[in-house]
Amino acid sequence: MAGWRHMTGARIARRAATAGAIALLGGALAADGPDGARILPRTEAEAARVAAITALPTDFAAPWAFEANQGGAGTVRRRDDREAFSLPQGNLDFAQRADFAVGNGLFERLWVTAPASTIASDGLGPLYNVRSCQDCHIKDGRGHAPVGPQDDAGSLVVRLGQPLDVDAARGEIEAYLGAAPDPVYGHQFSDASVPGIAAEGHVRVEWEEAESVALAGGGTASLRRPVWSLEDLAYGPLSPDTRISPRVAPQMIGLGLVEAIPEADILALADPEDADGDGISGRPNIVWSPEHDAPMLGRFGVRATTPTLRQQAADAFHADIGLASPLRPDPWGDCTEAQTACRAAPHGADPAQGGFEVSGESLDLVTFYTRNLAVPARASVDDSAVLRGRELFYGAGCPACHRPTFVTDRIEGEPERSFQLIWPYSDFLLHDMGPGLADELPAGQATGAEWRTPPLWGLGLVRQVSPEAGFLHDGRARSLEEAILWHGGEGLAARGAFASMGPQDRAALLAFLESL
């Protein structure tokens, strides 16, 4: 109890809310998955099989069974072009592939200003960042920070917020918010707008030398730090209490499989008080679901703030493109009450679309598309350097956060993602990554220093799909080596292990990561 006495009131309330929400997760939604689909319980024999096949390995001499099929039975061949992240899961049937294609068309659709000649594509903005989902997730891959003064970095967004004082006496829903919007600029900075409405401004970044890291063998690695600014503000200054959090778009592969991981399997990995003393204290982000009107496990986003892919799609339509859907019905997107011209501008909501700009059917098709983007097969699983790198990865303790395997739930009516052995290399929990990566903007119950462990599958194809892509949440890392060396906090020991490896071993570990 001594540790609790030294916590701030905010931390006590946050942990109490987390504990209470975890207990609630066994309630009304226990028989359903995140998307509302019915989950079929595992038999004792199946549970034993899962425990055996997902146990951390001890033999590193040869490739492991099924290791090459990172995405289970839906894994697709590893392409050598920019389409590597854009394929449907290999186990979809003919009708599902048709729905996937229609969803892809909606994902790529360019939205236009209302009113327009077609109700299916109008309603853009009035404030927005991009005109299509594909503009942000180019080729379904990672985004990048601005690379020059002429780069508008459409694949990067800047979240805004004011940290809230966590008070245990606040209402149930409010306990999951973490931050309030800027009173004028809202939750997200919009650097584009329709004619007649002023865009909020422009995002700028300057790069400065952060640290030169000494590496075993005599080399050094230089880390750069972004210094962000919001310029040409059209609606006055930001509130002095507002914090900013730039994030680049992640790659889209394997999301439906992540959604199908049993909630209990992720929660079982949580160790918020570091009871085992390994320096790793991952914890879940329990968030409020407006779709299910209940607390749920956050799985998606850099801080695990979103519980389902349908909500993620609705949130992106709303904040990034300014479109109303059944889950985000405001036709003005993220415009605040202070932005009166924006709220009064024409919108594209139409009875033929269910009273929205993105109909429920369209939202479901985009969700189906994002749910079924396939994970490519591993490369070079039997290469000697890759095998050596894999052993070093495990020896450095990386799987404490980058958990290699899960087996997905049995989902009624969805055999394509049911009971699949998958290799995402993530625990999907929050971890404190130290002051170097902190941005002071809480998200849900995540502090400004906590980030969800990102999956590593597809890592070796990121630059093939998106040549300018950067690594980490804001794209600051220009290489996988830099990404590792930015690890602080709970990742500090792994960073130290990597830096102390000789050049050949570091190259082998990077070869393993590139094989994913």
Side-chain angles (χ1 to χ4, degrees):
M1 296 297 293
W4 282 78
R5 285 197 297 270
H6 294 287
M7 286 183 185
T8 64
R11 290 184 66 197
I12 292 173
R14 186 179 295 115
R15 290 193 175 179
T18 300
I22 289 175
L24 284 173
L25 290 178
L29 297 177
D32 299 328
D35 60 349
R38 177 169 171 74
I39 300 301
L40 305 178
R42 289 176 181 170
T43 66
E44 288 187 13
E46 287 174 338
R49 286 173 57 200
V50 169
I53 202 166
T54 58
L56 292 180
T58 57
D59 182 3
F60 295 90
W64 301 318
F66 314 115
E67 184 180 15
N69 293 331
Q70 300 186 101
T75 303
V76 294
R77 67 182 178 88
R78 195 178 183 92
R79 294 177 60 129
D80 59 2
D81 58 21
R82 295 193 66 193
E83 304 299 321
F85 290 162
S86 298
L87 302 178
Q89 282 196 183
N91 56 356
L92 298 187
D93 62 28
F94 181 80
Q96 289 173 319
R97 287 175 178 270
D99 286 343
F100 181 90
V102 175
N104 185 25
L106 292 166
F107 194 81
E108 295 178 350
R109 172 176 290 173
L110 288 173
W111 294 82
V112 298
T113 307
S117 59
T118 171
I119 64 169
S121 300
D122 72 346
L124 175 68
L127 296 173
Y128 63 95
N129 296 108
V130 291
R131 290 180 56 199
S132 77
C133 306
Q134 183 77 9
D135 283 348
C136 206
H137 302 278
I138 301 169
K139 294 293 185 181
D140 305 295
R142 281 188 63 80
H144 63 274
V147 294
Q150 303 305 315
D151 183 0
D152 63 3
S155 56
L156 174 140
V157 299
V158 177
R159 299 292 291 173
L160 309 172
Q162 300 182 355
L164 296 171
D165 290 329
V166 179
D167 183 347
R170 288 165 54 207
E172 183 179 19
I173 296 178
E174 287 79 3
Y176 300 97
L177 295 179
D182 181 88
V184 174
Y185 291 89
H187 287 286
Q188 186 162 304
F189 192 72
S190 300
D191 54 4
S193 62
V194 302
I197 303 295
E200 292 182 332
H202 299 93
V203 180
R204 294 286 183 264
V205 62
E206 299 290 337
W207 300 99
E208 64 180 25
E209 182 77 13
E211 184 180 359
S212 183
V213 182
L215 302 172
T220 60
S222 177
L223 304 184
R224 64 173 188 171
R225 176 188 293 113
V227 179
W228 300 96
S229 60
L230 304 180
E231 301 179 354
D232 306 321
L233 298 176
Y235 300 90
L238 289 177
S239 165
D241 296 326
T242 296
R243 305 290 180 265
I244 70 172
S245 181
R247 294 101 180 265
V248 297
Q251 65 260 37
M252 302 288 291
I253 58 172
L255 298 180
L257 297 171
V258 173
E259 194 174 46
I261 295 172
E263 183 181 87
D265 290 358
I266 295 175
L267 296 178
L269 299 174
D271 184 17
E273 301 298 333
D274 191 19
D276 60 6
D278 66 352
I280 308 297
S281 53
R283 64 189 188 93
N285 197 3
I286 307 302
V287 299
W288 189 265
S289 167
E291 182 179 7
H292 295 283
D293 195 30
M296 295 183 70
L297 173 67
R299 298 171 187 252
F300 305 106
V302 295
R303 286 197 164 115
T305 50
T306 310
T308 71
L309 289 175
R310 191 167 187 263
Q311 182 178 323
Q312 180 170 273
D315 289 348
F317 275 129
H318 175 264
D320 300 348
I321 314 180
L323 299 172
S325 71
L327 294 187
R328 297 294 188 196
D330 294 334
W332 50 74
D334 191 45
C335 298
T336 65
E337 291 182 0
Q339 296 168 323
T340 54
C342 178
R343 289 207 171 192
H347 57 74
D350 191 278
Q353 298 283 100
F356 307 107
E357 293 163 324
V358 178
S359 69
E361 180 184 12
S362 293
L363 182 62
D364 288 343
L365 284 165
V366 170
T367 302
F368 185 85
Y369 172 73
T370 60
R371 183 175 288 149
N372 288 287
L373 282 161
V375 179
R378 278 274 310 277
S380 307
V381 293
D382 57 353
D383 180 84
S384 60
V386 170
L387 289 171
R388 172 61 178 158
R390 183 186 63 178
E391 183 174 8
L392 291 164
F393 179 87
Y394 280 74
C398 302
C401 299
H402 291 283
R403 185 77 181 185
T405 55
F406 288 93
V407 173
T408 61
D409 266 319
R410 287 197 185 278
I411 306 172
E412 190 171 57
E414 298 186 35
E416 68 278 2
R417 58 181 184 143
S418 290
F419 213 58
Q420 301 291 314
L421 174 64
I422 60 174
W423 302 72
Y425 282 95
S426 173
D427 60 7
F428 304 99
L429 298 174
L430 299 172
H431 294 276
D432 187 326
M433 295 302 291
L437 293 178
D439 63 16
E440 301 183 333
L441 179 59
Q445 295 179 45
T447 71
E450 289 181 309
W451 304 93
R452 182 202 69 156
T453 307
L456 301 183
W457 49 18
L459 200 57
L461 297 170
V462 165
R463 286 279 174 77
Q464 175 182 301
V465 172
S466 306
E468 294 177 332
F471 300 98
L472 299 178
H473 65 280
D474 56 7
R476 71 176 65 191
R478 294 160 291 189
S479 66
L480 295 180
E481 180 178 74
E482 284 187 32
I484 296 169
L485 294 173
W486 265 110
H487 283 48
E490 296 175 45
L492 191 59
R495 163 187 154 140
F498 176 76
S500 66
M501 294 176 188
Q504 190 171 354
D505 280 349
R506 287 198 306 274
L509 192 149
L510 294 173
F512 165 68
L513 295 177
E514 292 280 359
S515 78
L516 298 177

